[in-house]
Amino acid sequence: MDRITVCPSVFGGFVLCGKLPNKPAVFAHRGDWAQERENTIGAFRAAVDAGADGIELDVRITRDGRLVVHHDPLIEQVAVSRMTYLNIPEWVPSLTDALDACNPLRVNIEVKVDDAASGLALRTVEGLNELLRVRAEAPENWVISSFDSRALDHMRFLNSNFRLGLLCWKKPWQPSMEHAVSKGYSALHPHEGLVDAELIESASAAGIELCVWTVNDPKRARGLAAAGVASLITDVPAVIRNSLNV
């Protein structure tokens, strides 16, 4: 039997140290951008090489309906939604090319929403569903996440096979948890600073998985793993993965 010791928890109490009973999936945040520019083919390939279990990336839609991977709403001071695909810089990948580079890892696809009233999120979700449903990977390979529950609900309406995760980063977290439960989402994706024992207990009682972002501290990662979170999103996938294997 592996040696297990007790040590102070990041939640204030105690957790098991030594070999962890639970190893959450480690997702590389926008790829391994400690090695390559974020949200690029190089960053996604670096994440695969780093041994990540999955990759988190951001999707936006261009004026002519192409899905591209980019975090910010602007590229070189121009809104992505106002650009045609031909005007997108070469270093910004299409979603198709990005997913190919992420293979064989799981992918958490965040639907970016800047103006909920614009309808861009719904157009993005419609394009995303069309793209994913013809790919060879199983639906379980994808997690669709967003801060906008309307985008997630629209995806559920279009295709009930995908796992959905509601992002949250502001206190109080309870309304987000209640909303995720009421809508039947698979997971809540809280910012690392929100996660405490109460949130973890609430998620466990509701049958909601927790995918926590952005966890870069090995000690914090081990505490969250011991507490039973399902996934960790990190900027340093090799560091966090190694810390969980100690």
Side-chain angles (χ1 to χ4, degrees):
M1 178 179 290
D2 296 297
R3 183 171 180 268
I4 299 293
T5 58
V6 177
C7 63
S9 167
V10 289
F11 304 115
F14 296 89
V15 297
L16 295 176
C17 296
K19 188 170 183 179
L20 294 167
N22 171 68
K23 287 187 181 179
V26 174
F27 280 74
H29 186 221
R30 308 177 202 166
D32 190 351
W33 59 288
Q35 306 298 325
E36 299 281 350
R37 186 172 188 167
E38 69 175 39
N39 274 333
T40 61
I41 298 300
F44 303 142
R45 288 174 175 164
V48 174
D49 293 341
D53 300 299
I55 294 172
E56 185 270 353
L57 53 77
D58 308 290
V59 66
R60 294 183 177 276
I61 194 166
T62 63
R63 191 177 73 193
D64 51 350
R66 296 290 296 272
L67 297 179
V68 296
V69 177
H70 193 64
H71 179 267
D72 296 342
L74 305 180
I75 299 177
E76 299 171 354
Q77 305 305 310
V78 180
V80 175
S81 61
R82 293 179 178 271
M83 303 175 74
T84 63
Y85 184 69
L86 288 177
N87 298 130
I88 297 291
E90 288 186 3
W91 55 267
V92 177
S94 69
L95 181 59
T96 295
D97 289 344
L99 296 182
D100 288 345
C102 293
N103 191 54
L105 305 188
R106 288 178 283 166
V107 185
N108 177 346
I109 304 170
E110 181 185 345
V111 177
K112 302 302 289 185
V113 178
D114 303 306
D115 181 2
S118 70
L120 283 175
L122 299 187
R123 285 182 56 214
T124 303
V125 164
E126 289 167 359
L128 180 58
N129 177 56
E130 289 300 309
L131 187 153
L132 294 182
R133 72 183 183 87
V134 298
R135 288 188 64 91
E137 298 92 339
E140 296 78 23
N141 200 67
W142 320 117
V143 178
I144 314 302
S145 63
S146 184
F147 284 101
D148 188 340
S149 63
R150 287 174 296 184
L152 299 179
D153 292 344
H154 194 51
M155 178 59 85
R156 171 68 56 78
F157 172 76
L158 295 171
N159 194 328
S160 62
N161 292 320
F162 299 129
R163 299 171 63 80
L164 305 177
L166 180 64
L167 283 151
C168 68
W169 68 285
K170 290 183 178 180
K171 292 182 178 181
W173 52 261
Q174 285 84 353
S176 294
M177 177 68 74
E178 292 168 2
H179 192 79
V181 172
S182 69
K183 292 291 187 176
Y185 299 156
S186 304
L188 186 70
H189 295 199
H191 184 270
E192 181 270 335
L194 296 179
V195 181
D196 56 16
E198 182 183 0
L199 189 155
I200 289 174
E201 290 169 4
S202 177
S204 178
I208 291 284
E209 292 185 354
L210 292 178
C211 177
V212 184
W213 57 281
T214 303
V215 183
N216 294 332
D217 178 64
K219 180 179 178 182
R220 176 65 161 160
R222 286 179 62 80
L224 290 166
V229 304
S231 307
L232 302 173
I233 297 176
T234 178
D235 298 327
V236 285
V239 172
I240 296 303
R241 185 174 177 83
N242 289 339
S243 74
L244 301 179
N245 289 331
V246 173

